[in-house]
Amino acid sequence: MNAFVFHCNSHTREECLERGLFGCPSGGQYGPHSKAKKGDLLFLADFSAWTVTGIFTAKTDAGLNLDKIAWNGRFPWQIKVEAWNELRTVHIDKVNEIIGLASGSKLNMLTKDQLAQLVMSKEFGPCVPPHLFKVKNVPQTPSAGQQIPDRSKYAQQNSRSGGGSSALGMNGIKYTRIPSTLSSTDEHPATAMHRLKLVTSWFDTMASELLMMNELINNKKPSSKKDSKEKIVLDETIIKALRSCQEDSWPLMSYSHVRRAIADVFDQWLMLAHASVGQRTKTGNDGDTSTNGNWTRQQGRANSSQGKVKEDVVLLVDVPGATSFVQQLLEASSGTSAMSLPNSLAELVASKFVREIEYISSEVRKTQFSLMKIGGDSYMNSIEDKALGMKVSETEAKSPNGEGDVPGRKIIKIEWHTKSSIAQGRPPQVQKIYKTHFDVLERSYKKQTSSDDPAVSHFLTRLFVLLCRHELLGDVKHRCQATIPTIVQNVMTTQFGVAHECFASPLSNSLASFNTFLFSDVCKFFGSLGSFFDFVPMEGSYLVNPPFVGPSLKQMFDHIFRVLQHSNNDKSALSFLVVIRGPNPILNHVKRSHFCRRIVALEDSPKYALNTLHKDTVSASRKQPKNNPDDSNVVDCSGAWTSSFAYYIIWLQNDFGHDVWSPSDEKISLVTQSYAQV
């Protein structure tokens, strides 16, 4: 087995990865790459970003024009490749250091010794399959037929063991990662700000239009907002629908309620969009699938051409069932998004809702493409903290009511001083975060990116983008995600071995090992193991606390059932402790599964905090415009909120997981008692 390093730049890298094809210029048949054969190990060096990505396996021998249209024929000497389950990207200087070459050395064909040094390094070692190279073994679980002398000891071993296996994450989590198709190029902070401004402005416009419709149906003179910059004009189709439903009952609503509701609908649409990425095989009640083919979520989007993303990474398009889902939310008469729109009107507004999001998505994507084109081969260098003018300042946190500071509570301001803002004397763009959160994220970032950003030159920019993304969201926890208090989580860990959160974020995670649901492309820099829907745990105990309801919830349970169905029932203990709001029709679906071991309703409604806990103000997109007649209804982002819904804890386990972490009455009592102490 030989190893080769092929070359690319920012213009050719994406096509290399999309086509699964590496190439060389004419004359490559006479160079070192001509010796590459099927089964050899390959790396891809990007001389724009000065990184090396690997490891790939050659699917064919190197040959001439295997794909004649690739790179417009500029690189005819080609070889087809296949990526391993987990790709690692490392700075070229670090690779040269590992294999004993001087900085800046040209990488082509590697010697046997150099290959061995790379695959045994901490940078590439974790992604090497055990059958190729000897690595530290993962502690094996006893078979289901053997006696388990100390179940708690086994649970602790699984949650604390570490090692060099490619299937180990933080807290010893053993899992298989599905290859991601996320772009390897960072989002520019200008793109993140543009998206935020467009969505926020759109909330205002949608709310004004809906309020006008509501007032017209109720024969009330349309109210005019003092700060409105444009006249609201309804579509002709909307006007016709209003005339046809004059007899329908539609309660009169305030502007603040409508705006809050439309933003909430957006949140739920966003959850559905990201849960629906990729196509899955059909399953039965227990998540059974055919043993043929790949049962995991298929990467890529239906509207992609050869896998190339043609949409914003946040505002996805062509989401299956999106229009009907939004229509149901608009017609709802209860919940935070309740607006009770008449059916005929709700159908038109839902279509308009989805259509306008897709327009915003295209505008954001244009912005990112334009900025990448301007940056060219030096794009990644152009968005370093120093190049952009990212600076940090510290101030006292404000009290929730805006009256005075909070003693001892510090806020970090990440200030983006652009050249134009400095020249024109304009204030910088600012994102805020509590200093305690900032310090944790900084430590996590340095640990996570020690190889690809050793100088920590992109930390502030990536954090700025992350905070901009979260500004899009409203009170997700307020709506339907429980905040598991520390005392409760400790009991779950002690009694049921919980060592990983499946739905968290770098701004809210309590455990070191976690998945994110949204914004995986930027959250990966701060410790996330990616989207839960792309996460395939092999063993261990997991806390599942989803921030959504509706169709996304069923997709979540189907994914869990698939993982359990394909687990090693005799050798690997696997358990999911799920917390959802109820009553919910999905419970009937869950109860039919033989993996469902126990469902318990919480008698005492636990308290839930809002998702703006990382700073002292509400999300920018949820701030009510000034001079509204009903400003008193603005959402207060402070304090805690007690849910009026029942919450259910569900234990989903394979047989061995049930043996190890059986939800006995005694253990469940400890969990419910811990909730009562909050």
Side-chain angles (χ1 to χ4, degrees), residues 245-373:
C245 60
Q246 284 289 338
E247 302 300 321
D248 294 335
S249 174
W250 188 12
L252 192 63
M253 298 180 293
S254 67
Y255 177 84
S256 61
H257 172 80
V258 175
R259 192 187 186 285
R260 199 159 52 238
I262 203 70
D264 181 79
V265 173
F266 169 80
D267 284 350
Q268 297 191 55
W269 168 85
L270 191 65
M271 304 289 180
L272 174 69
H274 284 264
S276 302
V277 174
Q279 302 297 319
R280 302 185 182 189
T281 54
K282 294 182 179 180
T283 62
N285 292 333
D286 288 344
D288 297 333
T289 64
S290 170
T291 57
N292 298 323
N294 181 19
W295 62 273
T296 56
R297 179 163 82 160
Q298 299 299 308
Q299 296 294 310
R301 297 280 298 160
N303 70 323
S304 298
S305 173
Q306 296 179 343
K308 185 175 182 179
V309 180
K310 293 187 176 181
E311 60 188 1
D312 177 27
V313 295
V314 176
L315 306 177
L316 306 181
V317 299
D318 294 336
V319 179
T323 302
S324 58
F325 177 59
V326 171
Q327 181 179 345
Q328 291 174 16
L329 294 174
L330 294 173
E331 294 176 1
S333 57
S334 61
T336 54
S337 60
M339 285 188 284
S340 303
L341 265 72
N343 177 268
S344 58
L345 190 59
E347 184 177 359
L348 289 174
V349 174
S351 296
K352 175 182 173 66
F353 182 101
V354 173
R355 188 169 60 251
E356 292 183 351
I357 284 181
E358 293 187 347
Y359 170 76
I360 294 173
S361 175
S362 67
E363 291 300 302
V364 173
R365 195 64 181 163
K366 288 177 185 177
T367 299
Q368 179 63 16
F369 276 140
S370 176
L371 291 165
M372 290 173 63
K373 187 175 181 180

Side-chain angles (χ1 to χ4, degrees), residues 84-119:
W84 289 10
N85 279 350
E86 181 182 354
L87 291 177
R88 292 294 180 96
T89 299
V90 181
H91 197 278
I92 285 180
D93 287 345
K94 185 64 178 179
V95 172
N96 282 325
E97 178 186 330
I98 293 171
I99 62 180
L101 296 180
S103 177
S105 297
K106 196 75 170 178
L107 298 173
N108 285 300
M109 184 176 181
L110 302 177
T111 66
K112 299 287 187 183
D113 288 341
Q114 289 172 338
L115 175 60
Q117 289 170 330
L118 274 184
V119 298

Side-chain angles (χ1 to χ4, degrees), residues 102-321:
S103 177
S105 297
K106 196 75 170 178
L107 298 173
N108 285 300
M109 184 176 181
L110 302 177
T111 66
K112 299 287 187 183
D113 288 341
Q114 289 172 338
L115 175 60
Q117 289 170 330
L118 274 184
V119 298
M120 290 189 292
S121 68
K122 67 177 183 180
E123 284 75 19
F124 288 105
C127 66
V128 178
H131 71 276
L132 288 181
F133 296 93
K134 186 177 181 180
V135 296
K136 184 176 179 179
N137 292 326
V138 178
Q140 293 295 311
T141 60
S143 66
Q146 294 177 336
Q147 181 181 4
I148 303 175
D150 189 341
R151 294 176 180 175
S152 62
K153 182 177 180 181
Y154 166 74
Q156 292 171 4
Q157 180 186 30
N158 271 279
S159 65
R160 295 177 184 173
S161 61
S165 170
S166 61
L168 283 179
M170 296 292 290
N171 284 7
I173 293 300
K174 187 180 181 184
Y175 69 101
T176 299
R177 184 181 299 181
I178 302 174
S180 174
T181 58
L182 292 173
S183 171
S184 60
T185 304
D186 282 22
E187 178 170 279
H188 198 289
T191 303
M193 288 298 300
H194 188 210
R195 182 192 299 110
L196 178 59
K197 289 178 179 178
L198 288 176
V199 170
T200 302
S201 176
W202 175 66
F203 285 163
D204 294 340
T205 302
M206 280 291 291
S208 297
E209 291 179 357
L210 279 169
L211 184 65
M212 179 178 286
M213 298 177 207
N214 180 252
E215 292 173 336
L216 288 173
I217 278 190
N218 285 279
N219 298 315
K220 181 180 182 294
K221 182 180 178 181
S223 57
S224 59
K225 290 173 48 242
K226 297 178 182 179
D227 61 342
S228 179
K229 296 181 180 179
E230 58 182 34
K231 185 177 180 180
I232 300 300
V233 179
L234 299 178
D235 295 341
E236 187 63 33
T237 53
I238 296 289
I239 294 175
K240 289 181 180 179
L242 286 171
R243 291 170 181 165
S244 66
C245 60
Q246 284 289 338
E247 302 300 321
D248 294 335
S249 174
W250 188 12
L252 192 63
M253 298 180 293
S254 67
Y255 177 84
S256 61
H257 172 80
V258 175
R259 192 187 186 285
R260 199 159 52 238
I262 203 70
D264 181 79
V265 173
F266 169 80
D267 284 350
Q268 297 191 55
W269 168 85
L270 191 65
M271 304 289 180
L272 174 69
H274 284 264
S276 302
V277 174
Q279 302 297 319
R280 302 185 182 189
T281 54
K282 294 182 179 180
T283 62
N285 292 333
D286 288 344
D288 297 333
T289 64
S290 170
T291 57
N292 298 323
N294 181 19
W295 62 273
T296 56
R297 179 163 82 160
Q298 299 299 308
Q299 296 294 310
R301 297 280 298 160
N303 70 323
S304 298
S305 173
Q306 296 179 343
K308 185 175 182 179
V309 180
K310 293 187 176 181
E311 60 188 1
D312 177 27
V313 295
V314 176
L315 306 177
L316 306 181
V317 299
D318 294 336
V319 179

